Amino acid sequence: MSKKISIKDLKDYVGQEIQVSGWLYNKRSSGKLRFLILRDGSGYLQCVYFKGNVTPEVFELTDKIGQESSITVTGKVKEEPRSPGGYELDATEVTIIHETHDYPITPKEHGVEFLMDNRHLWLRSSRQVAIMKIRHRIVKAIRDFFDDRGFTLMDAPILTPAACEGTSTLFETEYFDLGKAYLTQSGQLYAEAGALALGKVYTFGPTFRAEKSKTRRHLTEFWMVEPEVAFSDLNDNMDLAEEFLEYIVQSVLKDRAEELKVLERDITKLQCVVRPLPRISYDEAVEILHKEGLPFEYGNDLGAADETVISSKFDKPVMVHRYPSEVKAFYMKRDPENPKLALAVDVLAPEGYGEIIGGSQREESLETLQERIKEHDLPMEAFEWYLDLRRFGSVPHSGFGLGLERTVAWICGLEHVRETIPFARMIYRNTP
Ligand code: 4AD
Ligand code: MG
């Protein structure tokens, strides 16, 4: 019997007879030839059946098989530069594992809602496969980056006793006799405890925001990676963020060129993502908006449209630092040179993809942090453990959070974050 292989390994079997199992992606016919395009998750393979070379039964079967039937093909591997992947199968046999007809997703245009309803099947399309492979490569780059630099992965709990990023986007649930618990908005507070135990840590997991807005950047469940570093200030934090972004983008360019091609991504827009990245203050960002004639009011947070205008001035991600503390979270340290400003940094992706990173230096003084918790009307008891980090060996420390899905959307050049995660959760969708 011939050897069973994956499509990605075809190059090692030129001239040999092999078997591949997969799904029928597409088919064509021309006279005495039948072309079955097989996909197995590792790649695509054109299998050519010539009437004179196969039994009448096999030839008839190639006409009958429906799209997405699961099949095993047998044949000889041939180099074929014109074929996707560079190889072809001189096929002699086909056996059906499960015959399928009327597969709901056909090569014609379907509406997005239909495709999202059929997400479990839509994932099989070449575009979605390319996105998932790039997402995986980004996840690996994230882990490699921190692992290679002495960070310890320390995951944070998902059920938490209090808000971290504002009380307006909390998902709550009853927690036995202990009252309410909330799905985490960010692992940061726990990462801070980790940084004071291990020096450099990162959390990486799902986070939740009951976002009531329906935008192309918001999910209610998304993945965030959050490094946190002891003895690190805002500048160190920005140095880390820019090295991190360069590493992620260059890793994808190096290892996922084929997938970027499937997505028709203009890679010149990614090739330029190398250090240093531009750094501007919030004040300078506001100047840009005013020069463009936008009626932006100093002191407000930047909206999506403002971010797009600012990032359009740069061909790389731009770091905007020192926002008004009023629009930022309670834990951010104020700028000693201007206490109206927080030592915060947001990184805005180019091409209108908006904020992909939010971070800051943290307030390390116990008294100041207690004041902030009161100002923000947060329950002091729930934060006592967090305040302990300022009671026992407090140090300057900083960190940031990178949203995985927004990063995937930017690198892949996608319209909407719904395609960046296997099964998107949004205000109007929690299925399939
Ligand atoms: O700016 P955010 O809210 O920052 C934090 O949560 C901090 N605690 C992080 C830290 O300092 N450790 O969120 C960080 C990033 C955003 O820049 C964005 O990329 C992503 O998380 N994000 C979302 N992505 C998809 N859907 C949403 N609803 C998102 N909200 C935030
Ligand atoms: Mg933010």
Side-chain angles (χ1 to χ4, degrees), residues 16 24 33 42 63 82 84-85 87 104 127 197 226 233 274 301 303 316 324 369 418:
Q16 298 182 39
L24 182 66
L33 291 168
S42 82
D63 278 330
R82 285 167 304 175
Y87 301 92
R127 178 183 157 86
E226 298 182 83
D233 64 15
V274 288
D301 202 357
K316 304 181 193 186
L369 197 54
R418 66 186 156 221

Side-chain angles (χ1 to χ4, degrees), residues 356-397:
I356 47 171
I357 282 182
S360 74
Q361 187 168 335
R362 320 306 189 188
E363 179 52 65
E364 79 252 31
S365 144
L366 175 64
E367 293 72 28
T368 312
L369 197 54
Q370 283 168 327
E371 271 169 44
R372 300 275 179 271
I373 290 173
K374 275 188 217 135
E375 276 167 25
H376 283 254
D377 219 8
L378 294 165
M380 193 67 74
E381 330 74 69
F383 288 96
E384 282 305 328
W385 70 268
Y386 182 64
L387 291 166
D388 269 355
L389 306 177
R390 279 72 180 169
R391 290 189 182 103
F392 305 106
S394 188
V395 296
H397 62 288

